[in-house]
Amino acid sequence: MRPSTIWYILKQGVKNIWRNWMFSAASVLTMAACIFLFGLFYLIVINVNFNTQKAQEKVPITVFFEPGTTQEEMDWVGEQIRARPDVETITFESADEGWEKFAKQYFPEGSAAADVFRDDNPLTGSDNYQVSVNDISLQYDLVRYIEELPHVREVKQAERAAEFLTNISNMVYYVSLIVIGVLLLISIFLISNTVSVGISVRSEEIAIMKYIGATDHFVRAPFVLEGIILGVVGASIPLVSLYYLYQEVVKWMMNNYSSFTGAVSFLSVEQAYKTFLPVGLLLGVGIGLLSSFFTTKKHLRV
Amino acid sequence: MIDLKDVTKSYGKGRPAVNHVNLHVEQGEFVFVTGLSGSGKSTLIKLLLKELDSTGGSITVAGERLETMKHRRVSKYRRKLGVVFQDFRLLKDRNVYENVAFAQRVIGRPTRVIRKRVPEVLQEVGLAGKYKSLPDELSGGEQQRVALARAIVNRPDILLADEPTGNLDPKTSDEIMALLEQINGRGTTVLVVTHNKEIVNAMKKRVVTMHDGVIVSDEEKGEYHEA
Ligand SMILES: Nc1ncnc2c1ncn2[C@@H]1O[C@H](COP(=O)(O)OP(=O)(O)OP(=O)(O)O)[C@@H](O)[C@H]1O
Ligand SMILES: [Mg+2]
């Protein structure tokens, strides 16, 4: 395409937006609201995920053995696991050590329960290895591998905290999917409306272009561009406002809920935007492009 | 240049708007098409523009078969044609220069070419002094000159005109017709639909007369027939 043609299409696209600015503003605002909400959920989800992962990293894989497994056999299994490149650390914990740890945590020194179980360890047979991985994404493969080893009874991964976090993260995820889905439909509808109003306003011009021999692409390009611009502008508003809002909220949480925030950590705004910026922009451009593309396809066939 | 073989176009039930028409126009010819209102003249023009598809027969224009033409090809095909209408169809928000330049931009001509070609054509149609005027600031005759300039700026093989003088007074009509003749003189095939009896009789061109979708007479150096 010639530079002059590109320039022409650009100018027409921008003109379209000005010509029915009320529709344009409505689509931009809906789009902005849509991506703002999306961003809100997105930022919550990635922070929850971030904490889930951290929790999971802290919780090692625990390997239990079949009853009657000898210490030598357990040592052999330990060596097999240690030989894996994805294993960060591996420590052995005997049943006695496990019980001591447990009792210390839940029963005060000298309590009845501590006495009752003193000589009759309820965790008998729970000798185990605690294995941590250097890459959480490889954990699944490692677990599969260990499960196949002889004498291994069970491999436990995440703990309840991690599960809980995962559940929350899933819930937030599904709720946001629904809300975003609805808003997406509204934005698509509004942009598509804006573009078709633009087309009807310019129907005479379009007819003339057709007579002169303009290709479908040439006729459609300004309208598609209009959709893309509306999408980009609609995405920029929440992207910019959330950038500041996010930092403020994190700061506020740190100050006012310091006990809670001790256990939880937040992604920095830069880390969060590493994915949110392209995702948000892509969403805006995508909605704008698709809705205007199909609207023009529907209305511009002569 | 234009060849219609047994062409029929019906919009729905009832008598076709164009009914088994045969017409052959050589390159460089000047042809009037006349006939009563509703006789199918505009339909014929629309068939030639491939704005409509015929429901029977075959149409060949500038070496291209229209019935089998792919949608993608239509825009390229239309660049071989120029067209003007009774109502001028100019872009009201753009001045004379932009209206003509528009036809070149649409087909992707570089700005360098446009700057040279547009003044040339405006000179040709006698509008050299009015580049900056908006359509509403022009008389009907001047507006039709702009439309003509736009139609020929890309040097079409064929110029189609559907009642180009329908909105103009006799003197202005004569001037527009003189322009069409001048364009024809440079080799462009010209087909003019008109009701203007005086002009048809004065110009001594080929006259095709339609009635109820049928060509009822076709005469070299013909006269205007009432029916
Ligand atoms: N889009 C359409 N749908 C249905 N019928 C149509 C359509 N366009 C034209 N017709 C019919 O086709 C016939 C021919 O119409 P056409 O416009 O070709 O006539 P015309 O010779 O150009 O008339 P005029 O001199 O008034 O412009 C008429 O009977 C008209 O009612
Ligand atoms: Mg007509």
Side-chain angles (χ1 to χ4, degrees):
Chain A
M1 225 191 278
R2 291 180 186 289
S4 58
T5 308
I6 294 171
W7 178 235
Y8 175 82
I9 289 169
L10 266 170
K11 262 197 337 210
Q12 292 305 314
V14 173
K15 250 195 205 166
N16 284 354
I17 293 174
W18 281 127
R19 248 184 256 193
N20 45 31
W21 65 269
M22 281 204 332
F23 276 87
S24 305
S27 348
V28 163
L29 289 179
T30 325
M31 171 86 79
C34 171
I35 294 179
F36 184 87
L37 273 177
F38 168 78
L40 226 54
F41 287 116
Y42 185 86
L43 292 173
I44 293 172
V45 167
I46 58 173
N47 271 291
V48 170
N49 278 347
F50 174 62
N51 282 287
T52 312
Q53 267 194 18
K54 271 186 34 183
Q56 275 170 348
E57 271 160 35
K58 274 188 235 151
V59 181
I61 301 169
T62 314
V63 184
F64 295 100
F65 295 95
E66 285 161 353
T69 307
T70 66
Q71 187 62 46
E72 272 135 50
E73 284 165 342
M74 290 193 254
D75 290 345
W76 178 82
V77 168
E79 273 161 38
Q80 303 306 307
I81 298 174
R82 194 170 290 119
R84 294 275 296 188
D86 38 358
V87 169
E88 173 110 22
T89 63
I90 170 165
T91 51
F92 182 75
E93 191 182 76
S94 69
D96 292 340
E97 285 165 348
W99 171 244
E100 253 168 53
K101 213 162 92 182
F102 182 81
K104 216 195 248 162
Q105 197 173 348
Y106 293 100
F107 306 125
E109 194 59 43
S111 76
D115 288 335
V116 167
F117 294 123
R118 174 136 309 148
D119 298 314
D120 184 15
N121 184 349
L123 294 183
T124 298
S126 66
D127 298 319
N128 63 72
Y129 279 110
Q130 307 232 324
V131 183
S132 70
V133 288
N134 46 29
D135 178 356
I136 195 89
S137 65
L138 298 174
Q139 180 158 326
Y140 179 76
D141 288 337
L142 181 66
V143 168
R144 291 295 300 272
Y145 170 77
I146 297 173
E147 278 171 348
E148 296 298 312
L149 289 173
H151 312 301
V152 171
R153 170 167 56 91
E154 192 185 8
V155 181
K156 276 196 175 156
Q157 328 182 37
E159 221 183 23
R160 261 196 223 103
E163 255 168 53
F164 177 67
L165 283 173
T166 313
N167 284 343
I168 293 206
S169 136
N170 280 345
M171 209 173 69
V172 171
Y173 181 74
Y174 287 119
V175 170
S176 55
L177 266 191
I178 293 169
V179 173
I180 290 159
V182 170
L183 281 164
L184 270 183
L185 286 181
I186 298 177
S187 327
I188 289 172
F189 173 75
L190 271 170
I191 291 203
S192 153
N193 247 18
T194 309
V195 169
S196 52
V197 166
I199 290 173
S200 65
V201 165
R202 299 182 57 191
S203 60
E204 200 170 78
E205 182 178 344
I206 291 166
I208 294 168
M209 288 165 88
K210 291 279 189 176
Y211 283 132
I212 291 166
T215 59
D216 285 0
H217 293 304
F218 186 86
V219 176
R220 286 169 66 181
F223 296 104
V224 173
L225 187 78
E226 177 187 0
I228 295 176
I229 293 175
L230 292 177
V232 170
V233 176
S236 309
I237 296 171
L239 279 170
V240 170
S241 56
L242 277 171
Y243 186 83
Y244 294 103
L245 193 67
Y246 180 81
Q247 297 179 73
E248 286 307 312
V249 168
V250 168
K251 213 190 288 167
W252 184 78
M253 297 269 277
M254 295 288 209
N255 290 337
N256 291 279
Y257 296 92
S258 46
S259 60
F260 166 66
T261 49
V264 175
S265 43
F266 294 93
L267 286 166
S268 73
V269 74
E270 285 79 18
Q271 283 171 310
Y273 265 63
K274 213 182 268 175
T275 53
F276 179 48
L277 184 66
V279 166
L281 273 178
L282 214 69
L283 203 61
V285 171
I287 297 169
L289 177 74
L290 289 181
S291 47
S292 57
F293 183 84
F294 287 109
T295 311
T296 52
K297 194 159 187 112
K298 198 173 122 200
H299 289 296
L300 287 184
R301 214 164 162 88
V302 168
Chain B
M1 186 54 67
I2 300 174
D3 196 46
L4 284 82
K5 287 210 166 72
D6 201 24
V7 172
T8 297
K9 170 69 195 179
S10 36
Y11 286 105
K13 299 213 165 66
R15 187 163 28 75
V18 168
N19 204 348
H20 297 288
V21 161
N22 289 287
L23 178 67
H24 184 82
V25 178
E26 285 294 328
Q27 180 168 357
E29 262 194 279
F30 190 116
V31 183
F32 281 122
V33 177
T34 65
L36 293 177
S37 186
S39 57
K41 307 180 296 293
S42 294
T43 303
L44 184 69
I45 296 272
K46 285 176 184 162
L47 288 172
L48 294 175
L49 283 168
K50 198 158 165 73
E51 188 180 334
L52 294 175
D53 289 320
S54 59
T55 45
S58 83
I59 308 176
T60 310
V61 181
E64 306 214 36
R65 280 285 296 271
L66 299 198
E67 316 81 65
T68 53
M69 186 179 285
K70 295 250 176 12
H71 178 78
R72 242 180 312 115
R73 175 85 200 134
V74 172
S75 59
K76 285 269 167 0
Y77 162 67
R78 286 190 184 144
R79 295 176 189 190
K80 296 181 176 184
L81 312 177
V83 58
V84 291
F85 300 94
Q86 179 171 356
D87 54 359
F88 321 133
R89 303 198 188 172
L90 301 176
L91 298 172
K92 298 250 186 294
D93 61 338
R94 274 168 249 192
N95 66 26
V96 168
Y97 180 91
E98 276 307 319
N99 263 285
V100 179
F102 178 71
Q104 296 219 287
R105 293 195 208 290
V106 157
I107 65 167
R109 288 272 183 283
T111 313
R112 169 174 45 82
V113 172
I114 298 176
R115 286 217 186 98
K116 188 163 162 292
R117 176 66 180 152
V118 174
E120 225 170 75
V121 193
L122 285 175
Q123 179 87 39
E124 220 173 299
V125 300
L127 276 178
K130 302 250 177 187
Y131 288 17
K132 295 247 169 71
S133 307
L134 290 170
D136 286 340
E137 300 163 359
L138 299 175
S139 71
E142 286 168 333
Q143 290 190 50
Q144 194 60 297
R145 285 169 196 266
V146 180
L148 263 174
R150 184 180 65 193
I152 62 170
V153 69
N154 294 326
R155 305 179 203 279
D157 296 334
I158 302 170
L159 181 63
L160 303 173
D162 195 349
E163 306 195 28
T165 61
N167 285 351
L168 305 176
D169 61 44
K171 181 170 167 289
T172 317
S173 299
D174 287 343
E175 289 168 9
I176 294 295
M177 283 298 168
L179 261 177
L180 287 173
E181 204 171 12
Q182 188 186 313
I183 292 163
N184 174 244
R186 277 191 229 109
T188 308
T189 308
V190 176
L191 192 141
V192 184
V193 168
T194 185
H195 283 302
N196 195 318
K197 184 179 173 181
E198 289 70 33
I199 285 179
V200 171
N201 288 340
M203 283 177 73
K204 304 268 180 292
K205 301 286 184 188
R206 178 175 169 191
V207 179
V208 172
T209 308
M210 291 185 74
H211 185 75
D212 287 349
V214 178
I215 293 182
V216 290
S217 80
D218 183 348
E219 305 168 337
E220 293 299 326
K221 298 199 165 99
E223 295 264 309
Y224 188 91
H225 297 284
E226 293 297 339

